Amino acid sequence: MNNESGRLQSAWGALPVAVFIMVWEIVGRFDLFPGQFFFPPFSTVVKEFYHLTANGVLGKNFASSLVRVLIGLCSGSIAGIIVGVIMGWRSVINRALNPIISLLYPIPALGWLPLLMLWIGINEMLPITIIFICSFFPVVYNTVTGIRNVDKRYIQAAETLGASNMRILCKVIIPLALPNIFTGLRLEAGMSWRVLIAAEMVAIPTGIGALLMQAESLVRVDIIMVCLIVLSVMCLLFERVFVIMEKYMIGKWSNHA
Amino acid sequence: MPDIELVNMSRHICRNVDLRIMDNEILVIVGTTGAGKTTLLNVIAGVVGYKGSVLIDGVNVDKVSPRRRGVGYLFQGLALFPHMTVEANITFGLSAAGIEKNAADERVSSLMEMVHIKHLIHRYPHTLSGGEKKRVALARSLAPSPKVLLLDEPTASLDHQTAKYLRTELVPLLKKLEMTTVYVTHDLREAEEIADRIALMSHGRIEQVSTPRDFFFDPRNEFVSEFVGMPNIIECDRSRILTSGLVEVVSDEMTMVLPYDGGNIRKIAIPPDDIYISDVKPPGPALNRFTGKAEEISRHGSNVRVRVSIGKNGLLAELPASAFDELSLEEGGDVHVVIKLRRLRYVES
C-alpha cells in the first residue's frame, strides 16, 4: 500500500515536468516565442545533447567540472568539519576563531575570485579553491552549531559512565551533531556546482561553465540549454546523495534526538 | 558499598549542606520543586562545581572528575543516547572502562535480564515506552559497577501502576546489589515505600533526616509536619492482638480495630485527610466510628480543617471546601468521625 502511494506520488511529481517539456516543445516547434531563433524546441536540445556526448565534448568538460567539484567540496567539507568540531568542542578556540569566521563567512564565494586570480593564477587550483571556500565556511558554521547544541545531559551522562573526553567527542558529541553537519553539507553540495560554473565562465577555459561561454559566443542556444540541464541535474543529484547519506547514517534516530 | 558524606556543601540554592549516607543504605531525598534535590545529586556525581567537600568511602573526591568517582547516575531526563541502541547504551560505560568485549557482553546480558529488557536489545530509545526507557537507563547506570547509585526521580512521568511496579522491583534489586543509593523524588509516599531513611529538603536546606516512621511521629519542625500532612498522633493506653493482622487499640474513649501485623501499638499517626467527618451518623458497623465535638473550623485555600475533640483526644480532619459546604457543621456542634484505614502508621511498644 505504501509502495503504491509512493509510486503514485512520484508520478504526480513527474507530471508538471512532462507538461513543462511539452509546452516547451510546442512553443519551440511552432515559433510561438518572439525571436524563436533563440528558443529551440526540447527535441533539438536532446539531439544536441546526444551529439555533444557522442563527440566527447560534453563528457570532457563535464569530467573537468566534476573533478573540481569533488576535490573542492570534499576538501572544503572535511576541513570545515575538522575546524568546526575543534571550535565547537573548545570554547577558547571558538572565541579566538569565531570573529574571523564571522567576518569571512558573509563574503560571497565568487567575491574571492579576483583576489584568487592574482594570488594563485588562472589554473586548476582556482575553481577548486573557490569551491573549497564556498563549502568550508557554511560547514564550519553548521558544525559549530551542531556541536555546541548537543544537550549537556548527554555529556554529563557519558562522563559519569567513565568516558574520556575523546570518547565523548567521538561517540556522543559528533554523532549527535551530525544532523546539523548534514544540513550544511546538503546546502553546499548544490551550491558548489553553481559557484564552479560561475568561476569557469569567468576565468577557466575548460568545464561546463567554459562550454556555456563558448556556446554563447557562437549563439548556440541549444548547447547552452544542454549545459544548464546538466548543471541542474548535477545540483539535484549532489543534494540527493547527501540526503541519502543522511538518511542512511542518522535516519533511524535523528528525528527523535 | 561505601558511604557518602557531604560536608558544608554549597551550590546554587544549596547552602552549607551536611549529610551522610550510610553504607548500603537507600536514602530518599524528598522536597518540592526547586528545593535543590537534583543539585545535590549533581554535586555527588561531580558534574557541577561546588563549595565544601564530598567524601565517598571516606575519601575526599572534590578533585576527582565524574568519570573516576565511581558513581552511577540515572538522570531525571534519563539522557539515553538517542543514536545508540539499547545494547550500545548499556555497553557504553563498559567500553569506556576498557572491559574486553566478551566480558562486556556477558555483563550487559545479565543486566538486561535483571531489569527485564532483554527483548529490547536492538531497539532505539525513541521506540521504547517510558517504563522501558527507565529500565534501560537503570541498566546503563549499573553497568560499570558503580560504588554508589544516584537516581533522580526514576518514576517521574510514569503512570501510577508502572511506577509502583518499577519500585517493587527496584528495592530488592538495590538490596541484592548492596548498593548505596541516593534516590530523589517529590512524592513522600514513594519515599516511604523504598527508603531506609528520608531526607527532606527545602530551599537548599536539609530540614530533617530520619526513618520514614520518625517523619510522622517526630517531625523536627512545622515545615516537616506540614510536608508529611500534619498527622494526628494518638497515644495508646493499651492494645491487644485480636487475630493475626488485627489489633485492638484503646486511647481514652476511642477504641479502634486496626490492621497491623506486629506487636502492641504505642502510637498511631492518622493523616487529616484520612479522617472522614459527617453531620449525620454514617451507616454501617460502629467500627472505628466516633462522635465528637467540632472545636474549631478554619478554611485553608480550597480545603477546610475541622478540629474535633473525642474525650481527651483531639483530631484534625481536612476535607475539600466543596464537601464541607454540603455539611451543616458548626463550631461546638456534634460531629461524626470515621477513621479510614488507608495510611495509618504505628509505633510499637
Side-chain angles (χ1 to χ4, degrees), chain A residues 146-161:
Chain A
I147 297 276
R148 296 188 80 81
N149 282 352
V150 169
D151 195 330
K152 217 170 143 190
R153 289 174 313 141
Y154 295 126
I155 299 168
Q156 289 178 339
E159 277 180 339
T160 58
L161 289 166

Side-chain angles (χ1 to χ4, degrees), chain B residues 22-278:
Chain B
M22 308 298 181
D23 198 9
N24 299 345
E25 176 185 43
I26 300 176
L27 179 89
V28 179
I29 301 175
V30 288
T32 49
T33 305
K37 309 184 292 289
T38 299
T39 302
L40 203 85
L41 294 192
N42 286 341
V43 165
I44 296 172
V47 294
V48 293
Y50 56 89
K51 288 179 185 165
S53 295
V54 176
L55 291 90
I56 297 178
D57 209 11
V59 178
N60 188 309
V61 293
D62 296 336
K63 303 259 183 277
V64 180
S65 77
R67 58 180 66 93
R68 302 210 188 287
R69 285 195 179 195
V71 169
Y73 194 170
L74 191 150
F75 290 81
Q76 189 173 3
L78 303 181
L80 287 174
F81 304 129
H83 59 294
M84 293 184 195
T85 60
V86 166
E87 185 183 28
N89 261 287
I90 301 171
T91 312
F92 186 87
L94 298 170
S95 317
I99 292 167
E100 68 162 80
K101 197 177 175 311
N102 285 348
D105 287 348
E106 214 169 286
R107 172 98 178 124
V108 170
S109 178
S110 74
L111 276 167
M112 292 179 92
E113 209 160 296
M114 203 186 286
V115 296
H116 311 299
I117 51 169
K118 222 163 177 187
H119 58 293
L120 307 173
I121 187 161
H122 298 306
R123 300 259 296 268
Y124 281 86
H126 73 268
T127 66
L128 307 177
S129 70
E132 287 170 339
K133 281 181 192 168
K134 306 261 177 186
R135 285 163 192 272
V136 174
L138 179 65
R140 184 180 72 171
S141 56
L142 288 172
S145 307
K147 291 188 276 186
V148 297
L149 186 63
L150 311 176
L151 305 171
D152 194 356
E153 307 234 12
T155 57
S157 73
L158 292 182
D159 63 87
H160 181 68
Q161 223 165 359
T162 312
K164 194 164 177 72
Y165 183 63
L166 198 68
R167 281 200 298 273
T168 52
E169 284 189 355
L170 188 61
V171 176
L173 178 69
L174 295 174
K175 289 295 174 194
K176 185 178 152 195
L177 297 172
E178 298 182 334
M179 187 71 72
T180 306
T181 305
V182 187
Y183 185 114
V184 158
T185 179
H186 60 270
D187 184 348
L188 187 63
R189 287 190 201 182
E190 183 180 348
E192 277 180 82
E193 260 181 59
I194 63 168
D196 292 322
R197 285 190 307 153
I198 296 174
L200 174 60
M201 276 192 93
S202 165
H203 298 100
R205 287 156 43 91
I206 304 276
E207 294 288 344
Q208 182 166 342
V209 187
S210 57
T211 60
R213 198 185 61 184
D214 284 353
F215 258 87
F216 288 88
F217 291 98
D218 195 14
R220 185 180 292 168
N221 54 40
E222 203 155 314
F223 176 81
V224 179
S225 181
E226 281 266 4
F227 192 85
V228 298
M230 297 182 305
N232 299 283
I233 309 294
I234 308 276
E235 298 275 349
C236 303
D237 301 329
R238 60 183 186 277
S239 73
R240 67 186 176 101
I241 297 165
L242 294 177
T243 58
S244 174
L246 271 185
V247 176
E248 185 188 73
V249 175
V250 179
S251 174
D252 191 38
E253 291 178 11
M254 295 170 71
T255 301
M256 290 170 278
V257 176
L258 308 173
Y260 186 63
D261 203 8
N264 288 327
I265 293 171
R266 188 160 57 86
K267 281 183 189 177
I268 312 164
I270 310 169
D273 55 350
D274 274 1
I275 295 175
Y276 173 79
I277 58 170
S278 171

Side-chain angles (χ1 to χ4, degrees), chain A residues 67-144:
Chain A
V67 168
R68 287 165 192 153
V69 169
L70 285 176
I71 295 174
L73 181 63
C74 289
S75 56
S77 301
I78 290 168
I81 290 171
I82 292 169
V83 173
V85 166
I86 294 169
M87 283 175 68
W89 180 233
R90 292 286 170 225
S91 300
V92 182
I93 295 172
N94 187 44
R95 279 199 296 274
L97 293 184
N98 196 33
I100 301 167
I101 301 276
S102 299
L103 275 175
L104 298 180
Y105 180 40
I107 300 172
L110 283 174
W112 292 93
L113 195 59
L115 192 61
L116 291 175
M117 282 166 77
L118 293 171
W119 279 355
I120 57 180
I122 298 173
N123 56 44
E124 277 301 314
M125 279 308 290
L126 183 64
I128 290 171
T129 310
I130 290 282
I131 296 168
F132 178 94
I133 291 170
C134 164
S135 46
F136 176 77
F137 289 109
V139 171
V140 167
Y141 182 79
N142 278 286
T143 306
V144 172

